[in-house]
Amino acid sequence: MSTPSTPAQAWSGRFSEPVSERVKRYTASIPFDWRLAPFDIQGSLAHAAMLQKVGVLSAEDLADIRRGLGEILADFEAGNFVWNLDDEDIHFNIERALTKKVGDAGKRLHTGRSRNDQVATDVRLWLRDAIDSILALLRAAQVALLDLAERHADTVMPGFTHLQAAQPVTFGHHMMAWFEMLGRDHERLVDCRRRVNRLPLGAAALAGTSYPIDREFVARELGFEDICQNSLDAVSDRDFAIEFLAAGALIMTHLSRMSEEMVIWMTPRFGFIDLPDRFCTGSSIMPQKKNPDVPELMRGKTGRMNGHLIALLTLMKGQPLAYNKDNQEDKEPLFDAADTLIDSLAIYAEMVPGIQVRADRMRQAAIEGYATATDLADYLVKKGLPFREAHEVVARAVRTAEQKGCDLADLPLPELQAFSPLVSDDVYQVLTLEGSLAQRTHLGGTAPVAVRAAVARARKRLG
Ligand code: ARG
């Protein structure tokens, strides 16, 4: 092992003066890209194994590299890996630590690659791992929703348009709407993962390399399902990251909409649900308050996800091929996005089973909202009245019920018949909330049987 003095920077031979402290801090990514360490090591191990296989690296060098990187990984996992700002980023930090441990073999590791294809590989490996965690959490959230939907397949609530009671639905049906949103989020991420899961290594700085590399071997070692087909594109592409942020922004948008509903339902005026105390906080001055802080924060964190998406879109838009240092700015938004998604989904999956449903309040709101008015109109249409006329008849009936302060179903038969002679005593079957629900048994409908069927189909799909 020969060890001529290692320059302060891996590229410093070309330079006559050091960078200022401020420039050093400005250009360094190690304060945040240290998280890539295990993935950087994984990539280096595959690269080294390939170099040895094609005869560029000796078996002894490979053994030294494996031992050194193994020790560095153990240090990292034990929280003992010390990084140095002088070494700019995680790639240089690990390379220097390796060289310190194993000498020349460490210096040979970088043969046939560049930090440009190295960082692109690291980010893809890291993101693939993050996506897998997020996919598992999406499924956990979906399962929690299925359980709640099944328990409340018969629980009546008003469905809303314009945030005004519109027609009766079941709470189970509403939960299945949430379930569907997360299902599409899952699909989107699975699709995005296919484009993340491609190998850039081998592109080197931008033009490929003169060494007889075996990219298929590296791809297999790292579990990539495909290989980036063009060296220029491989080092400059970050659209896989933008796709992830777009999918993430939609996940947060969905969580935000659900959170908004929970906040509304928890206000004393609605009183549809309650959340366990562990997801709420009190007020420092108003002792009567129980604030839904967790859903509110989830709604709020959607803003930062949207910000990250716009940040990366903006980062890319002016970049000529191939690699530019701009790309170093992809990491903080990506890391924060994954952290936000993982935390939000884990808490959401924990919170859903805790939702306490106040069926009496929901039912009361459906009654007060004349939620079966449309059913009365449909009833008249089925008896031969044109829909527009039926609409008018029911509007008058609602006004009367409103004046009397009662539900449509409380109006006596002769009174209903005064609005239209087509009404007979079978009208009460559609005027009741249960009667209204029971008619909507088609696929995608809100009848309790349809909700139970939807839950069963979903369970089968999730396996
Ligand atoms: N820290 C850099 C990044 O995150 C690694 C690649 C640097 N390459 C370069 N030629 N400056 O993008």
Side-chain angles (χ1 to χ4, degrees):
M1 287 198 284
S2 79
T3 41
S5 67
T6 313
Q9 265 88 27
W11 34 259
S12 71
R14 160 83 173 72
F15 289 73
S16 56
E17 59 173 6
V19 297
S20 74
E21 276 305 307
R22 193 186 292 276
V23 169
K24 192 199 295 175
R25 260 186 285 123
Y26 192 70
T27 52
S29 53
I30 187 64
F32 48 86
D33 71 9
W34 58 266
R35 303 173 51 143
L36 294 175
F39 305 95
D40 193 73
I41 291 170
Q42 195 187 351
S44 289
L45 286 171
H47 180 67
M50 182 277 290
L51 288 181
Q52 193 269 325
K53 178 175 170 282
V54 300
V56 172
L57 208 63
S58 71
E60 299 77 63
D61 280 346
L62 176 60
D64 282 348
I65 287 170
R66 282 186 171 148
R67 177 172 53 80
L69 288 177
E71 285 173 24
I72 293 169
L73 183 61
D75 282 348
F76 179 81
E77 281 168 352
N80 295 333
F81 181 73
V82 187
W83 52 261
N84 179 356
L85 201 66
D86 282 328
D87 290 328
E88 191 178 323
D89 60 22
I90 187 61
H91 323 297
F92 277 153
N93 269 271
I94 289 181
E95 194 181 319
R96 185 183 298 271
L98 179 67
T99 303
K100 217 159 120 191
K101 283 180 190 291
V102 305
D104 281 356
K107 296 183 195 166
R108 293 204 181 96
L109 171 61
H110 210 53
T111 313
R113 76 173 183 189
S114 147
R115 280 185 301 152
N116 296 353
D117 58 346
Q118 191 179 352
V119 72
T121 304
D122 292 6
V123 170
R124 284 169 185 266
L125 287 172
W126 168 83
L127 185 53
R128 184 178 71 186
D129 192 61
I131 287 176
D132 288 343
S133 303
I134 295 165
L135 285 173
L137 288 168
L138 277 169
R139 280 296 186 240
Q142 284 189 290
V143 169
L145 287 171
L146 282 182
D147 293 344
L148 194 58
E150 194 159 45
R151 241 184 301 141
H152 290 283
D154 298 283
T155 305
V156 188
M157 71 178 277
F160 294 89
T161 60
H162 313 276
L163 199 52
Q164 301 191 17
Q167 294 188 288
V169 296
T170 60
F171 186 68
H173 194 53
H174 201 114
M175 291 302 97
M176 287 306 285
W178 289 7
F179 172 88
E180 289 294 323
M181 296 182 198
L182 296 183
R184 290 191 300 279
D185 289 333
H186 193 277
E187 278 175 37
R188 251 185 297 275
L189 265 191
V190 167
D191 195 51
C192 165
R193 190 187 189 279
R194 288 174 39 231
R195 280 176 292 280
V196 170
N197 201 21
R198 292 177 186 171
L199 173 78
L201 210 63
L206 76 164
T209 173
S210 57
Y211 296 97
I213 56 171
D214 182 347
R215 298 186 71 200
E216 278 83 8
F217 174 86
V218 179
R220 271 196 308 279
E221 285 285 293
L222 295 175
F224 282 117
E225 63 200 86
D226 209 343
I227 295 173
C228 299
Q229 300 287 307
N230 177 289
S231 66
L232 299 170
D233 183 45
V235 288
S236 68
D237 166 33
R238 295 292 182 276
D239 59 19
F240 67 88
I242 296 175
E243 264 189 72
F244 167 73
L245 292 177
L250 274 172
I251 294 174
M252 287 309 294
T253 298
H254 287 156
L255 292 182
S256 180
R257 295 186 65 195
M258 301 173 201
S259 295
E260 169 69 2
E261 294 196 308
M262 285 191 244
V263 170
I264 292 171
W265 293 344
M266 253 190 86
T267 61
R269 274 163 197 272
F270 269 76
F272 282 10
I273 63 164
D274 206 359
L275 282 180
D277 290 353
R278 63 183 183 280
F279 300 106
C280 303
T281 60
S283 156
S284 54
I285 62 162
M286 297 168 284
Q288 84 281 16
K289 302 275 310 264
K290 177 173 165 185
N291 299 326
D293 281 35
V294 170
E296 286 173 18
L297 207 47
M298 220 170 267
R299 191 175 60 189
K301 282 182 188 290
T302 310
R304 75 159 74 192
M305 278 298 300
N306 294 349
H308 295 330
L309 171 60
I310 298 301
L312 252 68
L313 282 167
T314 312
L315 181 72
M316 282 316 289
K317 76 174 279 296
Q319 282 196 52
L321 291 173
Y323 177 85
N324 302 280
K325 185 78 164 183
D326 312 40
N327 284 338
Q328 183 164 287
E329 285 286 305
D330 66 354
K331 287 167 201 62
E332 286 164 293
L334 276 177
F335 293 159
D336 185 72
D339 292 346
T340 303
L341 286 164
I342 287 172
D343 284 348
S344 301
L345 283 167
I347 290 176
Y348 177 85
E350 219 178 283
M351 192 163 60
V352 166
I355 294 176
Q356 295 145 25
V357 173
R358 298 181 59 187
D360 53 329
R361 294 293 303 251
M362 290 185 179
R363 169 174 288 275
Q364 197 50 39
I367 291 172
E368 283 164 9
Y370 299 105
T372 58
T374 311
D375 294 281
L376 179 55
D378 287 341
Y379 169 88
L380 293 169
V381 169
K382 283 173 196 160
K383 301 234 165 173
L385 205 62
F387 184 80
R388 276 293 149 234
E389 276 176 47
H391 190 279
E392 186 48 38
V393 166
V394 177
R396 282 200 304 266
V398 167
R399 198 162 61 220
T400 304
E402 228 166 23
Q403 276 156 7
K404 299 180 77 170
C406 72
D407 181 27
L408 281 174
D410 295 331
L411 293 175
L413 188 58
E415 214 161 312
L416 285 169
Q417 283 170 328
F419 294 115
S420 167
L422 294 171
V423 175
S424 57
D425 59 0
D426 59 356
V427 74
Y428 293 103
Q429 283 162 30
V430 308
L431 276 188
T432 60
L433 295 172
E434 272 71 18
S436 166
L437 292 174
Q439 296 176 88
R440 293 165 162 78
T441 54
H442 57 80
L443 193 148
T446 187
V449 288
V451 172
R452 287 202 178 84
V455 170
R457 275 198 310 276
R459 284 202 201 282
K460 222 165 129 193
R461 238 187 303 143
L462 296 197

